[in-house]
Amino acid sequence: GIFVGIFSQLTGIGIVFYYSSQIFSIAGFSNDTSMGQSVILGITNLIFTLLAMVIIDKVGRKKLLLSGQIGMAAVLSLLGYGLLSGNIPGCWLVALLVAYIGFFASSQGVVVWVLLSEMFPNMIRARGASIGSFANWVVSAALNFLFPLAVGSFGSTQAAQQKGMSYAFIFLSVMTFTGFVYLKKHIIETKGKTLEQIEKEVLC
């Protein structure tokens, strides 16, 4: 449960939402345009969250989670490479970030909270879900504090900060893929099972 919470934030979702205007500015967008792009990301998050709520009981928790993880890892690596090489036009940056938000909202954004409420045995469910949620927000706070420091450590020019941001995205891509491997190995599918069935399967 702790690692479910940790890997949810190691996708970098907090960074993308909290610093979206800064990300777009570093990539060359004007401040006015950057705010508009941030609104697009928020609308994308809403749409794909609603979609995930509709299909989670049909597709299954684990399939949604893993498909989102591998999709985010791919998008983050493309973002990192594109910003590092300078070969990513502005429209493609927006498209990649929209795809990233779509992958997160349709997987981690919904599935994590469902899993945390289902995966623990009855006698420790409340404590387990609380600890998993606590781990999620601790990692979120740490990443959101460290991101501007990490980007700024490369210098104050736009080119230097773009380079720092590219390395940050590559790091998050590696962490997201690591989460995919871990979750694929350790998370069971809970779709269509009672809490008692899940408890028996986990404890066995």
Side-chain angles (χ1 to χ4, degrees), residues 50-51 68 82 94 136 184:
L50 294 174
L51 174 64
V94 176
N136 178 287
K184 183 177 181 180

Side-chain angles (χ1 to χ4, degrees), residues 109-170:
V110 171
V111 177
V112 164
W113 307 109
V114 175
L115 275 179
L116 287 176
S117 68
E118 293 178 338
M119 65 187 294
F120 295 102
N122 286 326
M123 71 170 61
I124 63 165
R125 177 164 289 115
R127 283 175 292 172
S130 298
I131 292 171
S133 179
F134 178 75
N136 178 287
W137 291 113
V138 166
V139 175
S140 174
L143 285 177
N144 294 327
F145 175 77
L146 293 172
F147 176 74
L149 299 179
V151 172
S153 67
F154 284 82
S156 58
T157 66
Q158 181 175 330
Q161 291 191 341
Q162 184 168 318
K163 183 178 180 181
M165 190 165 61
S166 68
Y167 284 126
F169 281 135
I170 291 171

Side-chain angles (χ1 to χ4, degrees), residues 53-71:
M53 292 169 62
V54 171
I55 66 174
I56 188 170
D57 284 325
K58 299 175 183 178
V59 176
R61 286 79 161 127
K62 190 170 183 177
K63 286 182 179 179
L64 273 183
L65 195 64
L66 295 180
S67 62
Q69 286 287 123
I70 202 68

Side-chain angles (χ1 to χ4, degrees), residues 10 24 34-35 47 52 73 80 87 89 108-109 127 138 149 163-164 173 177:
L10 284 177
F24 284 120
S34 298
M35 291 301 294
I47 292 172
N87 294 328
Q108 288 275 9
R127 283 175 292 172
V138 166
L149 299 179
K163 183 178 180 181
S173 175
F177 182 74

